[in-house]
């Protein structure tokens, strides 16, 4: 089980990492972020948007409400600016949410209905851990696409880099 300090660190790490990714994607040559690619998602931005949509779904689970989503991504890719504005808002929500948690609320277990109708009971801490792993997994998809852009590499957003570059108290 995670504690409040870990929850706060993970949400701040995610906000920092999303900014690093945004900067790297924005630095790509014109059209590369939206260029159609062979991938589960249509392009780099649409891949990052999938992460955002899943953040919305789990926000609803953490708030104990129905997410009313039927898909794991939007049908069409937003622009980079649209994705970034949305991502910043949800990142801020997660940081504020984590700041209000106690060890007891993080241990609170509740039923969750996943896309497709499967059900599971998870603690709020487990939900946050899922988001951390989900985000890292799909950033790997975006990173792989970035390696196909000549002269560009995926940004390094490993946890030790965050702890070195953005030290905070939690």
């Amino acid at each position: 089980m995670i504690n409040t300090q870990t929850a706060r660190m993970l949400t701040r790490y995610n906000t920092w990492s999303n900014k690093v990714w945004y900067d790297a994607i924005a630095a790509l040559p014109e059209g590369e972020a939206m260029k159609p690619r062979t991938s589960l998602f249509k392009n780099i931005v649409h891949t990052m948007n999938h992460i955002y949509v899943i953040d919305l779904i789990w926000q609803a689970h953490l708030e104990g409400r129905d997410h009313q989503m039927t898909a794991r991504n939007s049908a069409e890719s937003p622009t980079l600016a649209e994705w970034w504005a949305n991502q910043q808002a949800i990142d801020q929500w997660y940081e504020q949410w984590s700041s209000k948690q106690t060890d007891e609320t993080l241990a609170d277990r509740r039923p969750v209905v996943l896309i497709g109708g499967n059900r599971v009971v998870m603690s709020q801490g487990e939900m946050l851990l899922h988001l951390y792993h989900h985000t890292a997994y799909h950033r790997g998809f975006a990173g792989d696409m970035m390696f196909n852009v000549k002269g560009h590499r995926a940004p390094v957003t490993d946890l030790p880099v965050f702890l070195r570059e953005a030290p905070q108290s939690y």
Side-chain angles (χ1 to χ4, degrees), residues 101-120:
Q101 299 312 301
T102 65
D103 290 344
E104 292 76 24
T105 60
L106 289 169
D108 180 42
R109 299 182 69 75
R110 55 183 63 175
V112 171
V113 179
L114 305 171
I115 299 281
N118 290 323
R119 297 174 185 274
V120 64

Side-chain angles (χ1 to χ4, degrees), residues 152-165:
H152 290 270
R153 299 179 51 138
V156 177
T157 54
D158 293 338
L159 184 60
V161 177
F162 165 70
L163 295 172
R164 181 188 72 223
E165 292 186 5

Side-chain angles (χ1 to χ4, degrees), residues 19-101:
K19 172 69 167 105
V20 171
W21 274 91
Y22 167 75
D23 290 344
I25 296 167
L28 292 172
E30 183 72 31
E32 288 291 342
M34 301 294 287
K35 181 179 177 179
R37 304 198 188 265
T38 303
S39 178
L40 177 60
F41 304 107
K42 300 169 185 169
N43 56 55
I44 295 170
V45 174
H46 203 228
T47 300
M48 298 304 287
N49 191 68
H50 165 69
I51 295 168
Y52 164 71
V53 169
I54 298 303
D55 286 350
L56 290 177
I57 290 169
W58 288 92
Q59 175 192 38
H61 293 319
L62 289 166
E63 291 180 333
R65 61 181 172 79
D66 182 1
H67 53 72
Q68 301 181 347
M69 302 247 187
T70 58
R72 292 173 184 88
N73 206 344
S74 59
E76 298 300 321
S77 180
T79 66
L80 179 61
E82 290 167 336
W83 165 74
W84 182 230
N86 291 335
Q87 191 62 59
Q88 287 178 292
I90 195 71
D91 286 347
Q92 185 175 57
W93 182 90
Y94 274 100
E95 282 194 33
Q96 291 171 353
W97 172 86
S98 72
S99 293
K100 297 174 189 171
Q101 299 312 301

